[in-house]
Amino acid sequence: MAHARLSLPRNFHRVSLACYYPPSSRPTVATRTFASRRAAAISTPSGLDSDHHLSAAREWAARLNSKAITIPRDICEISFSRSSGPGGQNVNKVNSKATLRVPLKSLLPFVPQLLHAPLQASRYVAAKSQILVIQSDESRRQTANVEACYDKLHQVLKSIAEDTIPGETSQEQRDKVQKLKKAANEARIKSKKLHSSKKSSRRGSYDD
């Protein structure tokens, strides 16, 4: 006995699901978006590239380079642990390794706002705790390693400032830019006049 073959529409599965689940209770697929920590941190608030912020950042960087300003040590925490670095018989026996920890919430008020985002994205900052951590075990003496940590902190801030703050344009560079703009404007006017002259000559030939 031959059996009749039941043909189903191609969208049977979708139709059946639509019938089974009311619109308000249909299952939805949860989606998640991921953004890298660095990309999120570097997004700079609008207005930070204004002349005021740039001037303040440049002045701060100049004072930092000359060591006219330093980060207050009372916002920093120093701890010691056993060192694996040089030290002869003292290696792994004396707590000479220094670790400097600076909470960003305490550090950022002493840093120009223009540098906040790149500082938060620094490899020295622990993401979860938002604490900047620097270590040194270059010496067998605790005091030397402590000073090395503060020197590294200074270098970290200096490097971030150099990478972030654009240099001030010199008068010579400004004059050069003005000359280029003037030459480009003159070339544009000349091209426009030439184009207009060609159009006029074509009209004259048509009139003849």
Side-chain angles (χ1 to χ4, degrees):
M1 179 178 179
H3 295 279
R5 186 174 181 180
L6 180 63
S7 61
L8 298 176
R10 292 183 179 180
N11 61 346
F12 171 76
H13 181 67
R14 291 195 297 270
V15 172
S16 61
L17 282 178
C19 295
Y20 184 77
Y21 291 104
S24 59
S25 62
R26 289 177 189 172
T28 57
V29 179
T31 59
R32 298 178 64 187
T33 57
F34 296 90
S36 67
R37 172 188 163 213
R38 182 173 180 84
I42 291 182
S43 56
T44 307
S46 59
L48 291 187
D49 56 348
S50 64
D51 292 340
H52 171 72
H53 285 95
L54 285 177
S55 298
R58 286 171 181 149
E59 182 181 354
W60 180 88
R63 296 179 64 194
L64 180 72
N65 291 340
S66 63
K67 293 192 175 181
I69 57 172
T70 56
I71 301 302
R73 296 195 176 190
D74 57 359
I75 68 171
C76 306
E77 177 187 336
I78 291 287
S79 61
F80 300 98
S81 58
R82 293 191 177 181
S83 173
S84 59
Q89 296 179 352
N90 288 330
V91 174
N92 295 325
K93 295 181 181 180
V94 179
N95 292 336
S96 59
K97 179 179 180 179
T99 300
L100 171 68
R101 292 181 175 86
V102 191
L104 283 187
K105 64 179 181 180
S106 301
L107 176 61
L108 292 182
F110 295 95
V111 177
Q113 195 173 359
L114 191 65
L115 305 182
H116 286 191
L119 184 57
Q120 290 169 332
S122 170
R123 63 187 180 92
Y124 292 98
V125 174
K128 291 184 179 180
S129 62
Q130 287 294 287
I131 294 177
L132 188 145
V133 181
I134 294 176
Q135 297 179 329
S136 176
D137 58 356
E138 300 167 358
S139 172
R140 70 180 67 182
R141 295 185 297 112
Q142 287 184 347
T143 54
N145 286 329
V146 169
E147 292 304 318
C149 283
Y150 283 114
D151 286 342
K152 288 181 180 180
L153 174 61
H154 181 271
Q155 290 301 322
V156 168
L157 295 175
K158 182 179 177 181
S159 177
I160 291 176
E162 290 175 350
D163 293 341
T164 306
I165 304 172
E168 193 169 5
T169 306
S170 65
Q171 187 61 44
E172 182 181 356
Q173 290 174 323
R174 292 176 185 172
D175 293 342
K176 186 176 181 180
V177 170
Q178 289 299 324
K179 288 181 180 179
L180 291 174
K181 286 183 178 179
K182 184 178 179 180
N185 188 48
E186 290 176 351
R188 181 182 61 83
I189 294 174
K190 184 177 180 180
S191 176
K192 191 174 181 180
K193 288 181 177 179
L194 181 61
H195 182 68
S196 178
S197 177
K198 287 181 179 180
K199 289 178 67 176
S200 298
S201 62
R202 288 172 186 166
R203 288 174 187 161
S205 62
Y206 292 152
D207 293 339
D208 295 340

